[in-house]
Amino acid sequence: MDKIRNLSVRKTIFLYMAAALFCSFLLSDVIVRIAERTQMRIWWNYIDKKAYVEAAEKKAPGYIVKIPRPSSYEMTQADIFVSELCDFLETYAVLILSMAGSCGAVFLFYRNKLREPLEELAKGSKKIAENHLDFSICYENKDEMGQLCKEFERMREQLARNNRAVWQTVEEEKILRTAIAHDIRAPLSVLKGYQEMLMEYLPGEDIDVGQAMEMLAESGRQIERMDAFVEAMRKLSSLENRQLTPGSISAGQLAKDLQGELAILEKEYGKQCMLQASESQEEFYGDKEVILEVTENLLSNALRYGKQQITIMIKIGYAKLSICVMDDGDGFREEAEKITEAFYGQNVKDSLKHAGLGMYISRLYCEKHGGKLILGNDEQGGAVATAIFRRIA
């Protein structure tokens, strides 16, 4: 049965037609013989039986004695009808049964060979038209229809992959746009803070020219950072494609870059920030802008959820740089994998102000830098976020 079921469409229709014609011819032969015998019995009732027996006994070799057909006026209406019917069956039985057998063969061929795959393909086409691709074509025969169903299933899988790729591209573009706005926020906050300080102290001459020039110089550096970041983002199609630019980094230099921002952030959030940098003569090679972006993301998160004090610890070596940011808040309430997902937010109010990309971008950049982002809670209950970067050539 498996061999018959897996025959090609051409061989199957030939087999069905041959079987139908054979059965039709066999059945028509039986019907014709029955019709002849029935007709002979009817005619036997209307002949001179004694003369027929004498003729049969005297027949010469090569001659056949047949029962003659009675005249219609000699037979009853019933016998006439049956006799005419037998004539019709003897003449047309082969033709009628051949046609009926062929029709039956076509019907059986469609029911057993075509109906199931055609129904599967019709259902699949309808689901694809409705953009529902979470189905599969179940037809296991190895004939042409089975091959067609396999090709249809392959097309469905490709469409599903293409749809997932399109949605992934849309999500990546969404994340990229939000990431640009997210990473520009920190330099803008510093610029806003310097502007507010200058507007507050300059009219009363409570600030000297040296301090004002230092603020302007720091503002210029922040603007340069934004320009460099926007130019880098302009060339990207996704965050993963950002190329790292290695450079020499020392603990003192990194601490100095962060210290200028901490003064502004302390005033903005009303919290104390303490920076600790280990003294080391070793220089680390890495992408300074990426490291600063990750540090600012962790610091921004700590300032939002911390209560009074934030601690930043920098440890630098030849092969590894680690930056640990600790706060005195309630700590992380969920697993690190959940927290570092894109658009994660602990509550609705937080999501109204922040896109939930800080931890996601930080994890992505740490991994791109050969390191990792470790999230945990301190014994006293605060959150501890440690960004680890590996040396790059």
Side-chain angles (χ1 to χ4, degrees):
M1 291 301 296
D2 288 339
K3 289 183 178 180
I4 295 175
R5 190 162 47 245
N6 293 321
L7 283 176
S8 65
V9 173
R10 182 173 57 184
K11 290 180 179 179
T12 303
I13 189 64
F14 176 79
L15 180 63
Y16 273 77
M17 292 300 296
L21 291 176
F22 176 78
C23 293
S24 299
F25 289 145
L26 186 63
L27 184 59
S28 62
D29 181 67
V30 173
I31 291 174
V32 168
R33 290 178 182 275
I34 293 174
E36 288 177 349
R37 291 177 183 178
T38 302
Q39 198 175 48
M40 290 300 104
R41 289 196 199 98
I42 293 172
W43 291 356
W44 177 260
N45 297 326
Y46 295 97
I47 65 171
D48 186 351
K49 298 178 179 59
K50 184 178 180 180
Y52 177 82
V53 172
E54 290 178 354
E57 290 176 350
K58 296 178 180 179
K59 70 178 180 178
Y63 288 88
I64 298 175
V65 179
K66 289 187 175 182
I67 299 176
R69 184 186 187 97
S71 301
S72 58
Y73 64 85
E74 297 181 46
M75 296 186 291
T76 63
Q77 289 297 324
D79 287 342
I80 292 174
F81 174 77
V82 174
S83 180
E84 293 293 335
L85 179 60
C86 290
D87 285 337
F88 178 82
L89 291 176
E90 290 173 15
T91 305
Y92 297 106
V94 175
L95 178 62
I96 292 173
L97 290 177
S98 297
M99 293 177 63
S102 299
C103 293
V106 171
F107 172 77
L108 291 176
F109 172 76
Y110 173 80
R111 189 190 70 176
N112 298 333
K113 197 73 174 176
L114 300 180
R115 185 175 67 180
E116 182 181 353
L118 289 178
E119 288 178 352
E120 289 286 334
L121 293 173
K123 291 177 182 177
S125 300
K126 184 177 179 181
K127 289 183 178 180
I128 289 177
E130 296 172 353
N131 204 26
H132 296 158
L133 300 175
D134 54 342
F135 70 94
S136 60
I137 299 293
C138 299
Y139 187 75
E140 301 299 331
N141 288 4
K142 299 178 181 179
D143 54 7
E144 291 91 338
M145 298 305 296
Q147 189 64 31
L148 180 61
C149 289
K150 286 182 179 178
E151 292 299 325
F152 191 93
E153 176 67 13
R154 188 176 299 139
M155 179 191 71
R156 181 201 66 79
E157 291 176 353
Q158 186 62 45
L159 284 174
R161 285 194 294 269
N162 292 344
N163 269 13
R164 286 193 294 269
V166 169
W167 279 111
Q168 184 177 357
T169 302
V170 171
E171 287 298 315
E172 286 180 354
E173 290 179 353
K174 180 181 177 182
I175 291 172
L176 181 61
R177 289 193 299 269
T178 312
I180 294 173
H182 181 276
D183 284 339
I184 288 179
R185 186 182 297 119
L188 286 177
S189 298
V190 175
L191 290 173
K192 181 181 177 183
Y194 282 138
Q195 183 186 27
E196 291 175 351
M197 290 178 67
L198 290 172
M199 291 178 67
E200 180 180 353
Y201 295 118
L202 275 179
E205 297 183 355
D206 296 330
I207 187 171
D208 58 27
V209 177
Q211 290 177 321
M213 292 301 295
E214 187 178 343
M215 290 182 183
L216 290 174
E218 180 62 23
S219 299
R221 194 182 73 82
Q222 296 296 334
I223 292 173
E224 289 177 0
R225 282 191 59 197
M226 284 192 295
D227 286 340
F229 179 77
V230 171
E231 181 62 22
M233 290 296 106
R234 186 181 65 82
K235 299 176 181 178
L236 299 183
S237 60
S238 66
L239 291 174
E240 290 84 349
N241 293 335
R242 181 171 182 176
Q243 298 296 321
L244 299 180
T245 305
S248 177
I249 303 173
S250 64
Q253 178 189 2
L254 194 58
K256 183 179 178 181
D257 291 336
L258 290 173
Q259 194 67 55
E261 298 180 14
L262 289 179
I264 302 301
L265 295 174
E266 283 179 333
K267 183 178 179 181
E268 180 181 348
Y269 287 92
K271 299 171 186 178
Q272 182 182 1
C273 296
M274 185 169 58
L275 178 61
Q276 300 175 2
S278 62
E279 296 182 1
S280 175
Q281 299 300 322
E282 294 181 323
E283 287 190 346
F284 178 79
Y285 269 83
D287 191 318
K288 183 180 176 182
E289 292 301 320
V290 167
I291 294 172
L292 284 174
E293 287 173 28
V294 172
T295 305
E296 288 166 357
N297 288 338
L298 300 183
L299 185 58
S300 175
N301 188 76
L303 287 167
R304 280 204 308 274
Y305 297 108
K307 295 177 181 178
Q308 294 181 348
Q309 182 171 325
I310 311 299
T311 303
I312 306 102
M313 293 189 299
I314 301 174
K315 293 182 181 180
I316 195 167
Y318 176 81
K320 183 176 75 171
L321 167 65
S322 66
I323 299 175
C324 180
V325 179
M326 298 181 291
D327 63 57
D328 56 353
D330 297 328
F332 296 116
R333 301 175 184 176
E334 297 190 41
E335 297 293 331
E337 291 183 0
K338 180 71 175 178
I339 298 171
T340 55
E341 289 180 354
F343 306 108
Y344 168 80
Q346 288 190 5
N347 52 64
V348 177
K349 292 182 179 179
D350 183 65
S351 64
L352 295 176
K353 296 182 179 179
H354 304 280
L357 277 172
M359 290 299 182
Y360 170 75
I361 296 172
S362 299
R363 176 183 63 81
L364 194 66
Y365 284 166
C366 285
E367 292 174 354
K368 193 172 186 63
H369 216 290
K372 59 183 176 180
L373 178 65
I374 302 174
L375 304 179
N377 293 321
D378 190 59
E379 294 180 357
Q380 283 75 27
V384 180
T386 304
I388 298 176
F389 303 92
R390 297 290 178 181
R391 182 185 181 92
I392 57 175

